[in-house]
């Protein structure tokens, strides 16, 4: 595994009087009020993580040629004919060389998006549905970038109509389709080519996207050809270059190798094609601690990236998902039964793979702890399993845990990213509620599903 740092910063869900809290609110009280399984998000923590990232990249040059391309607020959200700027300004009227474009897929709840929108975040989206959510939450179109290998014609059209900042194009055919569509609509589509830098990122194979055998992006050579096409196309405008190498990466080295590759793509486009790209998008994937392994040192990464970009006139976009919301969320679940089978002890909970699929799908590790401490309980190695009829339905395996009693509440940590958003109705289980705590306020960000939600669209009513 890559280098990781375990930090001693204040926990997002501290224990007070033996009970886990989110801000001023006890998780026990929230579980009683909203029932379990329940997702709880700490909004203050999300904003704190965004600031941490911004501080880590504060060394970026603010007056390079890239930052000279100030966005024109009068053209924002313009329809066909709109020619967006290629600047990555984080806040309107306050030119910045950094745009934090939150990766909506990590946690697309509107309340989370609205919180980030108010704090000046942009969005990294991969579907028309995510575009809809991002706009709905008030994220300005000119701060939205659209990635994905399979954007449909409808989705491309929606992006053009909204006047998004840029399409992160992943194939020559997609570039052709986008150019033809933009021309038909009388618009100019802003594009950045997503480059596959062929770097190994040493994460789970399903979340490693920057190696040559992955479906994402195109080779640096092919990217150059695509910039040549874009430059010659009246309905396309090359505004940046993009890379995203994977998720939950703890070592800065692969990010820097990928950055070197895309910076060279941008330099070559300038040298040979006379194209001045406005930004580099380094993607997301910044690893967080799961209680066992450490986190990516974003301060080291930020310094190194700033050094490499100095004097190049390129702004920077980052697309963090998990880094912003991962440890800002917990899944609270209630113990139904404790059973012994052979030499194993199973703690059966009311949440399982339907609520949090990461343990069974990626072998994802999430720390599990009792919501209320019980000093008298003896610690045993247990499997925490859900009620779903699959042997692969577990939240934790062979984990030391103070043996809980039925009715006790457990908190599954680092569940704010890729938790609810990957939840399913398998076994006809209604999906859980989501609650956002921000300052004093508790918002029911999504109500628990009911049985009639399960059959919506299957009946006439
Ligand atoms: N940008 C792009 C183009 C992406 O595809 C992703 C995530 C991100 C940014 C954000 O990555 P993050 O900062 O959250 O690591 N379901 C998996 C993770 C899949 C990530 C997919 N792409 C998991 O639960 O580990």
């Amino acid at each position: 595994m890559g280098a990781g740092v375990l930090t001693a910063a204040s926990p997002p869900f501290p224990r007070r009087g033996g009970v886990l809290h989110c801000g001023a609110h006890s998780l026990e009280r929230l579980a009683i009020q909203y029932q379990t399984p329940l997702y709880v998000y700490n909004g203050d923590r999300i904003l704190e993580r965004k600031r941490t990232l911004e501080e880590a990249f504060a060394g970026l040059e603010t007056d390079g040629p890239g930052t000279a391309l100030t966005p024109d607020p009068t053209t924002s959200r313009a329809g066909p004919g709109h020619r967006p700027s290629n600047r990555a300004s984080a806040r309107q009227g306050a030119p910045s060389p950094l745009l934090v474009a939150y990766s909506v897929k990590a946690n697309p709840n509107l309340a989370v998006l609205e919180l980030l929108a108010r704090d000046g975040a942009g969005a990294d989206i991969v579907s028309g549905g995510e575009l809809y959510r991002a706009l709905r939450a008030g994220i300005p179109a000119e701060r939205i970038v659209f990635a994905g290998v399979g954007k449909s014609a409808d989705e491309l059209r929606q992006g053009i109509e909204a006047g998004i900042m840029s399409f992160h194009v992943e194939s020559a055919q997609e570039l052709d389709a986008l150019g033809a569509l933009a021309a038909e609509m009388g618009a100019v589509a802003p594009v950045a080519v997503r480059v596959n830098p062929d770097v190994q990122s040493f994460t789970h194979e399903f979340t490693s996207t920057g190696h040559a055998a992955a479906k994402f992006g195109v080779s640096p050579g092919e990217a150059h050809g695509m910039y040549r096409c874009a430059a010659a196309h009246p309905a396309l405008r090359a505004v940046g270059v993009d890379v995203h190498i994977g998720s939950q990466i703890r070592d800065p080295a692969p990010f820097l190798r990928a950055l070197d590759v895309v910076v060279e793509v941008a330099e070559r486009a300038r040298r040979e094609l006379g194209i001045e790209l406005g930004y580099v998008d380094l993607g997301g994937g910044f690893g967080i601690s799961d209680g066992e392994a450490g986190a990516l040192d974003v301060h080291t990464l930020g310094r190194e990236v700033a050094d490499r970009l100095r004097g190049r006139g390129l702004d920077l976009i980052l697309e963090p998902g998990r880094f912003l919301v991962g440890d800002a969320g917990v899944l609270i679940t209630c113990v139904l039964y404790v059973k012994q089978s052979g030499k194993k002890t199973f703690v059966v909970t009311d949440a399982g793979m339907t609520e949090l699929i990461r343990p069974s799908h990626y072998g994802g590790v999430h720390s599990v702890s009792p919501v209320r401490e019980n000093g008298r309980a003896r610690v045993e190695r247990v499997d925490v399993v859900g009620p779903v009829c699959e042997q692969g339905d577990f939240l934790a395996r062979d984990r030391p845990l103070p043996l809980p009693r039925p009715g006790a509440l457990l908190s599954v940590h680092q569940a704010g990213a890729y938790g609810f958003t990957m939840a399913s109705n398998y076994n006809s289980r209604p999906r859980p509620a989501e609650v956002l705590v921000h300052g004093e306020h508790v918002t029911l960000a999504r109500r628990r599903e009911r049985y009639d939600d399960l059959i919506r669209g299957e009946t006439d009513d």
Side-chain angles (χ1 to χ4, degrees):
M1 291 301 286
V5 284
L6 277 166
T7 53
S10 61
F13 296 91
R15 200 175 280 286
R16 284 200 292 273
V19 179
L20 292 178
H21 280 66
C22 182
H25 304 273
S26 117
L27 294 187
E28 198 171 64
R29 297 277 304 269
L30 291 174
I32 291 167
Q33 185 174 353
Y34 295 101
Q35 311 290 287
T36 58
L38 177 71
Y39 274 100
V40 178
Y41 309 129
N42 182 336
D44 298 299
R45 174 67 173 180
I46 295 173
L47 297 180
E48 181 186 313
R49 295 291 280 173
K50 179 165 174 284
R51 274 192 292 282
T52 299
L53 201 62
E54 286 164 350
E55 277 162 27
F57 287 81
L60 290 170
E61 219 169 21
T62 51
D63 53 358
T67 57
L69 301 159
T70 310
D72 176 358
T74 57
T75 60
S76 61
R77 279 183 195 264
H82 168 48
R83 285 182 75 90
S85 122
N86 25 356
R87 277 232 53 250
S89 176
R91 284 188 183 80
Q92 216 137 38
S96 155
L98 175 68
L99 174 65
V100 175
Y102 170 60
S103 192
V104 172
K105 64 180 83 61
N107 185 330
N109 188 289
L110 275 183
V112 170
L113 297 182
E114 281 163 6
L115 185 76
L116 285 162
R118 283 196 298 274
D119 203 60
D124 151 56
I125 59 162
V126 289
S127 69
E130 288 190 350
L131 176 63
Y132 174 76
R133 280 181 178 275
L135 292 174
R136 215 18 229 270
I139 296 178
E142 69 269 16
R143 280 179 223 161
I144 297 179
V145 292
F146 195 164
V149 293
K151 305 176 195 80
S152 70
D154 270 349
E155 290 175 320
L156 294 174
R157 187 186 306 277
Q158 288 154 21
I160 296 171
E161 269 167 6
I164 63 167
M165 178 182 191
S166 176
F167 291 88
H168 288 171
V169 175
E170 306 221 17
S171 66
Q173 287 185 355
E174 183 192 338
L175 189 72
D176 286 348
L178 181 63
L181 203 60
E184 189 187 301
M185 294 168 70
V188 175
V191 295
V193 178
R194 176 165 174 180
V195 175
N196 183 323
D198 195 16
V199 300
Q200 293 295 336
S201 52
F202 305 107
T203 180
H204 191 276
E205 68 160 305
F206 292 174
T207 57
S208 178
T209 54
H211 57 86
K215 71 176 177 178
F216 297 99
V218 300
S219 70
E222 194 176 349
H224 188 71
M226 287 166 65
Y227 282 116
R228 179 177 291 118
C229 289
H233 199 299
L236 294 174
R237 176 161 183 242
V239 295
V241 61
D242 173 49
V243 67
H244 169 75
I245 57 172
S247 194
Q248 190 58 332
I249 299 166
R250 298 182 157 107
D251 181 0
F255 289 106
L256 296 173
R257 281 197 289 276
L259 180 64
D260 289 342
V261 172
V262 289
V263 163
E264 175 46 28
V265 169
E267 293 290 339
R268 187 172 169 210
R270 187 176 50 76
R271 255 190 341 259
E272 297 179 18
L273 305 170
I275 300 177
E276 292 285 348
L277 297 179
Y279 71 81
V280 166
D281 185 325
L282 193 53
F286 313 124
I288 66 167
S289 174
D290 55 18
E292 285 185 4
L296 172 75
D297 180 351
V298 284
H299 292 278
T300 298
L301 179 66
R303 272 194 305 275
E304 297 275 342
V305 169
D307 279 353
R308 280 169 162 80
L309 289 181
R310 192 152 299 128
R312 296 188 187 276
L314 290 163
D315 292 343
L316 180 69
I317 300 180
L318 299 175
E319 300 176 352
R322 191 187 327 258
F323 187 85
L324 298 189
V325 295
D327 77 2
V330 288
L331 170 63
I332 309 176
T333 180
C334 183
V335 174
L336 299 173
Y337 307 104
V338 178
K339 67 183 265 189
Q340 213 71 39
S341 183
K343 285 199 172 120
K344 288 196 77 99
T345 303
F346 292 99
V347 172
V348 185
T349 56
D350 66 358
M353 65 188 295
T354 35
E355 287 69 32
L356 182 66
I357 202 172
R358 300 198 67 262
S360 61
H361 193 54
Y362 309 102
V365 176
H366 293 260
S367 35
V368 178
S369 52
V371 168
R372 175 177 287 277
E373 222 163 30
N374 176 359
R376 290 192 306 273
R378 73 172 186 283
V379 175
E380 270 195 38
R381 296 195 84 87
V382 302
D383 282 14
V384 181
V385 300
V388 175
C389 291
E390 296 271 349
Q391 185 53 26
D393 174 31
F394 57 87
L395 295 172
R397 280 205 289 196
D398 202 25
R399 200 70 73 72
L401 191 74
L403 203 62
R405 291 173 188 277
L409 297 168
L410 298 178
S411 174
V412 183
H413 297 263
Q414 305 93 31
Y418 309 107
F420 184 94
T421 186
M422 296 181 79
S424 80
N425 291 123
Y426 185 45
N427 281 201
S428 289
R429 289 168 55 75
R431 287 179 299 170
E434 295 174 281
V435 159
L436 175 72
V437 178
H438 182 34
E440 290 303 298
H441 302 284
V442 178
T443 311
L444 177 60
R446 185 182 173 109
R447 67 159 172 78
R448 183 174 304 285
E449 285 181 341
R450 301 180 299 248
Y451 289 149
D452 59 347
D453 292 318
L454 295 177
I455 58 168
R456 176 157 305 138
E458 296 172 32
T459 56
D460 289 338
D461 45 83

